[in-house]
Amino acid sequence: MFQTNFQQQPRKIYVLQRTQSQLPMNLQQQPQEQKLEYFQQSKIAHQPVMQTLQYQMNPHINQLKFKQGESVQQTQLGQQIVYQPNLQNIQRSIVAQKIINYQDDELIQPKKENAKQTAKYDLIENLQFEIKTLYKMVKLFPTKAQYLPGIVSIKAKDQTITQNHENQRVGIDLICLIDISGSMIGVKIQMVKQSLIVLLQFLGDNDRLQLITFDDDAHRLTPLKRVTKQNKIYFTQIIQQIQANGGNQISEATKMAFCQLRHRKYINNVTSIFLLSDGVDYTFPEIKEQIKTVNEVFTLHTFGFGQDHDAPMMTQICNLKSGSFYFVQDVTLLDEFFADALGGLISVVGEQLEITITSQAPPPYQNIQISKTYGNMWQKKGNQYYITQPQFASGSRKDYVFEIALPKFQGRIQDYQRSIGVLFAELKIQDPINRSIIKIKARLDLNLFNQDEQINENIYPDIDVYAQYFRVKGTEVIDEARKACEQNKNEDAEKLIDNMLIQIQKIPNVAAQCTGIIQDLQQAKQASARTSYSLFGQKQMCQMVSNNYQQGGVNSLFSAHENY
C-alpha cells in the first residue's frame, strides 16, 4: 500500500469580493482605466463605430534588437482597422497575412534518461493501478436488478521537486494565449502582465515559452524560446509592451498555437497551453475541429476573468485536453492559479495514459456489465471502454467511476460459479523521458451468492469507492442545479443540493472522507441563490463540475457573509 496522501479533490482557495477600485495596482495606471469600456456585443450595441490602429510585435526583429542590447518595441502596421462591434458579423478591412515561420523555435535538448541521474522516477515501482467495487461479495436476486458502484484507480507516489534542482524534473513547452480585447483594459491586463512576469521565475533553462496575444486576430509576440536567465529579460520586455484594445476571437489564437505545436522543430518532454480570457466567444465548434488536427500530446488550461466571461465555453475548451478551468474572480490570485497549473506540469511522470476496460463475465453472468459511467472521459466501443489522459503527475490520483448492473438472476449459483472475473483493465502509460511504454493489468472479481444464502464473512463497503462515488454524484447534482438555475428554478436547485448532502452525511464514516465534495455542495447551494448566481454562481459551479471530474485545479470559495 502507498503511504502518500494523494490529492483526491481540487484544492480550495478563498476569494474576496472586491470592487475594481479596491484591487491593488502596482503598475502605473493608464488614464483609460478610469473608464473601462467593454467590447462584448451585449454592452456596446449603442456605441459608434470605432477606428484604431493595429499594433503587432515582430518576434524576429525584436530578437535581433534584444541581442544588440536595444529595447524591444511594437511595430505599427500601416493600415487602419475599422471595427463595427455592434454587428454580429464584423466587417473590416483585411490586413495582408504574412507567412509565419513556426520552425523558429529555439533548440532544446529534451531531458533523457541518464545513468548518473539519482532522481529517476520508476513508473513500474511507483504506480498503483486497480479496479474495485463497493462490495466484493454480492447477492443476486430473481425479482430485482441492482447497481454496484466501482472505480478504476491509478495513483502515483509523490516525487519532491525543489526549485533549485531543475534536473530532477521534465522540461516544459508552454504557450500562453492572452486576451487583449477592450474589456481587458485596466486592472485585468496589468495583473496578467505582472503574473506572467512571476511565471517566468518558475521556469528554467530546460523550459520554453511562447506568448501569443489575441483580439480579432492572433499576434505572435515571441517564438518558442528557452527561459534562460538572459531570455527572462527578453520576455519581461515583451510582456511590459502588451496593451489591450480590440475584439475577441479565441479560435484565432488556438489556431496559431496548434500550428506552432505541429510545426516546431524540437519537442520538449511536456507541453501545455494556457488560455486567458475575460470575454464571450462563439468559436468553440471551430476550436473543437482545430484540435482534431493536432497529434501532439498536451494539456489545455483555461483562465476566465471576472463576471463577463463565458464559463461554460471555457470549461468545454479545457475539457478537450483534460485541463483545469480557473475562475479568476479576483485577479490578484492569478499568480497562485498559474503556480497550481504549472506545478502539475513540472511533476509529470507519465503521459499518453490509456486505460482499456473490457466486460467479459462468463455465462450465465454475461449480462453483468458496466451500465453507467461518470464524466466525459469515458469512450465506449463494443464491450470495451477507453479512457485517455495526456499527462499524469506524481503524487496524484485519477479515479474513474462507474456502475455495474447486476440483473435479475433466475438460476441457482453453484459453488464452482461463485468467483467470476467481471471486468479486465489494462493501463498503458509512456515515460516522458525515455519514451518507454509501461503496461499494467488489473481485474475485477466478484463473489456471488444466492438470495437465501448466508454470507459468513463480515461485509464492509470499500470507503474509498464510496468517497469517489459521492464525489461524482455530488458533482452531477451541482451540474443539474446549475441547469435548474439557468431556467430560473433556483429554489429547485437548492433542494437538489440539500438532498445530496443528506445522502452523504447520513453515513458518518463516509462523510468524513467526503469533506471536499460536501464543501463544494455547500458552496453550490450558496451560489444557487438568485443574487449570487448572476454575480459569480454560474462560473463557480462550472469550475467545480469541470475540476471535480478531473480531480485537479483549484475551486474558488466565497464567504457566505460577504455583501454582494
Side-chain angles (χ1 to χ4, degrees):
M1 292 295 291
F2 288 179
Q3 301 302 314
T4 305
N5 291 322
F6 300 99
Q7 179 181 342
Q8 302 184 43
Q9 292 278 344
R11 294 197 303 109
K12 315 292 184 183
I13 187 167
Y14 280 97
V15 179
L16 296 177
Q17 285 286 92
R18 295 184 282 185
T19 63
Q20 178 151 322
S21 61
Q22 294 175 309
L23 292 173
M25 179 63 113
N26 296 331
L27 302 181
Q28 183 177 4
Q29 294 188 340
Q30 305 289 331
Q32 58 199 8
E33 293 170 12
Q34 298 171 5
K35 187 178 180 181
L36 289 179
E37 297 289 350
Y38 286 83
F39 279 67
Q40 284 89 351
Q41 295 177 17
S42 61
K43 296 197 174 186
I44 54 175
H46 302 293
Q47 290 183 0
V49 175
M50 176 181 178
Q51 290 189 337
T52 185
L53 290 176
Q54 177 70 33
Y55 289 86
Q56 186 171 358
M57 294 182 186
N58 187 312
H60 302 292
I61 293 177
N62 275 333
Q63 286 187 88
L64 182 60
K65 283 180 174 292
F66 183 74
K67 289 178 181 178
Q68 294 174 347
E70 302 177 30
S71 297
V72 301
Q73 63 183 20
Q74 292 179 324
T75 301
Q76 179 178 330
L77 302 182
Q79 181 169 357
Q80 274 193 330
I81 311 284
V82 179
Y83 290 100
Q84 183 73 37
N86 59 328
L87 297 179
Q88 183 172 2
N89 297 317
I90 298 176
Q91 301 296 328
R92 60 186 179 85
S93 57
I94 301 175
V95 176
Q97 294 184 355
K98 296 181 179 179
I99 297 176
I100 298 175
N101 175 23
Y102 288 106
Q103 293 189 325
D104 60 351
D105 54 310
E106 188 171 354
L107 171 66
I108 190 76
Q109 296 291 345
K111 182 181 174 186
K112 295 182 179 179
E113 189 171 359
N114 187 338
K116 297 180 181 181
Q117 182 185 338
T118 58
K120 183 183 183 304
Y121 191 92
D122 190 323
L123 284 173
I124 294 179
E125 178 183 341
N126 291 314
L127 287 186
Q128 176 184 341
F129 179 59
E130 62 181 338
I131 181 169
K132 57 184 180 178
T133 49
L134 188 60
Y135 296 98
K136 294 180 179 179
M137 294 177 283
V138 295
K139 289 185 177 183
L140 298 183
F141 296 88
T143 57
K144 66 176 181 179
Q146 304 170 83
Y147 298 92
L148 185 63
I151 61 173
V152 180
S153 181
I154 175 173
K155 305 172 186 176
K157 281 185 181 179
D158 201 3
Q159 179 187 40
T160 302
I161 303 289
T162 61
Q163 191 171 355
N164 296 326
H165 292 79
E166 189 182 340
N167 288 331
Q168 295 182 10
R169 68 167 178 86
V170 293
I172 300 166
D173 277 355
L174 176 61
I175 301 177
C176 291
L177 311 181
I178 306 154
D179 184 347
I180 56 168
S181 62
S183 56
M184 289 290 290
I185 292 173
V187 174
K188 291 178 187 175
I189 196 65
Q190 297 294 351
M191 291 306 301
V192 167
K193 290 160 68 172
Q194 291 181 30
S195 297
L196 287 172
I197 292 172
V198 171
L199 180 65
L200 294 175
Q201 308 312 312
F202 292 96
L203 300 173
D205 291 3
N206 294 331
D207 306 312
R208 297 190 301 178
L209 175 66
Q210 181 174 47
L211 302 175
I212 296 173
T213 58
F214 66 94
D215 40 35
D216 283 331
D217 292 303
H219 312 291
R220 189 169 175 265
L221 304 190
T222 71
L224 198 52
K225 288 181 67 69
R226 293 175 62 205
V227 193
T228 61
K229 184 177 181 180
Q230 186 70 6
N231 281 345
K232 286 180 181 180
I233 302 173
Y234 163 78
F235 279 115
T236 300
Q237 291 184 13
I238 295 290
I239 291 167
Q240 289 172 340
Q241 294 287 332
I242 294 175
Q243 298 179 20
N245 186 23
N248 182 29
Q249 190 149 334
I250 295 173
S251 61
E252 289 298 308
T254 54
K255 180 170 66 175
M256 182 174 283
F258 298 158
C259 283
Q260 181 65 73
L261 294 186
R262 289 198 305 269
H263 298 295
R264 56 185 167 168
K265 288 191 296 185
Y266 312 101
I267 300 177
N268 221 329
N269 300 116
V270 174
T271 301
S272 190
I273 296 174
F274 288 3
L275 168 62
L276 295 78
S277 180
D278 78 330
V280 177
D281 183 275
Y282 304 98
T283 60
F284 173 73
E286 187 176 347
I287 297 170
K288 190 175 181 180
E289 290 304 310
Q290 290 174 358
I291 214 164
K292 294 177 182 178
T293 67
V294 187
N295 295 322
E296 281 69 18
V297 179
F298 67 99
T299 51
L300 203 170
H301 299 282
T302 57
F303 301 79
F305 293 82
Q307 297 178 12
D308 297 306
H309 73 274
D310 189 340
M313 183 204 64
M314 295 291 270
T315 58
Q316 285 179 311
I317 292 175
C318 73
N319 286 338
L320 290 174
K321 280 296 177 179
S322 302
S324 297
F325 166 54
Y326 296 87
F327 172 28
V328 191
Q329 173 75 352
D330 183 345
V331 290
T332 63
L333 297 174
L334 180 58
D335 55 351
E336 184 160 348
F337 293 147
F338 275 171
D340 180 81
L342 193 63
L345 296 176
I346 67 174
S347 303
V348 167
V349 293
E351 61 181 11
Q352 297 193 64
L353 178 151
E354 181 180 309
I355 299 174
T356 305
I357 303 107
T358 307
S359 298
Q360 287 186 345
Y365 311 113
Q366 63 272 15
N367 292 326
I368 298 180
Q369 298 182 14
I370 293 177
S371 59
K372 183 176 181 178
T373 57
Y374 291 86
N376 61 4
M377 64 286 295
W378 292 82
Q379 303 294 326
K380 185 180 181 182
K381 185 176 180 181
N383 69 332
Q384 290 186 320
Y385 285 88
Y386 299 91
I387 299 168
T388 58
Q389 185 83 19
Q391 297 158 356
F392 194 67
S394 66
S396 67
R397 64 180 289 172
K398 297 292 181 185
D399 301 279
Y400 305 101
V401 184
F402 60 88
E403 290 180 11
I404 286 182
L406 303 174
K408 300 176 184 177
F409 186 72
Q410 302 294 336
R412 186 76 184 173
I413 300 170
Q414 303 300 319
D415 286 343
Y416 69 90
Q417 296 176 315
R418 290 197 188 283
S419 181
I420 63 167
V422 176
L423 298 176
F424 299 83
E426 182 180 65
L427 165 68
K428 294 181 183 178
I429 189 168
Q430 179 175 275
D431 189 310
I433 298 175
N434 60 27
R435 303 299 178 186
S436 61
I437 304 292
I438 307 300
K439 295 182 180 180
I440 307 175
K441 294 184 178 181
R443 59 179 279 167
L444 172 65
D445 292 329
L446 291 180
N447 291 324
L448 306 179
F449 293 85
N450 295 296
Q451 177 183 4
D452 58 354
E453 288 184 315
Q454 180 71 32
I455 300 176
N456 295 323
E457 300 180 37
N458 291 327
I459 303 177
Y460 297 105
D462 188 304
I463 300 298
D464 194 28
V465 175
Y466 241 145
Q468 298 305 324
Y469 182 65
F470 278 132
R471 170 179 61 84
V472 296
K473 291 297 289 185
T475 302
E476 188 177 61
V477 165
I478 292 172
D479 198 33
E480 291 173 358
R482 180 189 63 82
K483 293 174 182 177
C485 290
E486 290 292 322
Q487 298 176 6
N488 206 30
K489 299 179 180 178
N490 301 67
E491 292 75 16
D492 292 346
E494 294 180 32
K495 290 178 182 177
L496 284 171
I497 294 168
D498 281 337
N499 290 337
M500 190 71 241
L501 283 168
I502 291 171
Q503 288 186 50
I504 299 175
Q505 292 173 329
K506 68 182 180 183
I507 312 174
N509 60 334
V510 174
Q513 301 298 317
C514 297
T515 55
I517 190 60
I518 289 174
Q519 189 175 37
D520 285 341
L521 286 164
Q522 292 167 342
Q523 283 281 306
K525 181 179 178 182
Q526 174 185 311
S528 297
R530 294 183 185 277
T531 54
S532 302
Y533 188 76
S534 59
L535 287 174
F536 64 85
Q538 182 212 43
K539 296 165 181 60
Q540 184 188 19
M541 293 165 85
C542 284
Q543 179 187 56
M544 288 189 288
V545 170
S546 178
N547 291 346
N548 285 356
Y549 278 134
Q550 292 290 344
Q551 289 175 280
V554 179
N555 283 348
S556 300
L557 302 179
F558 292 85
S559 171
H561 303 294
E562 289 284 350
N563 295 318
Y564 300 113

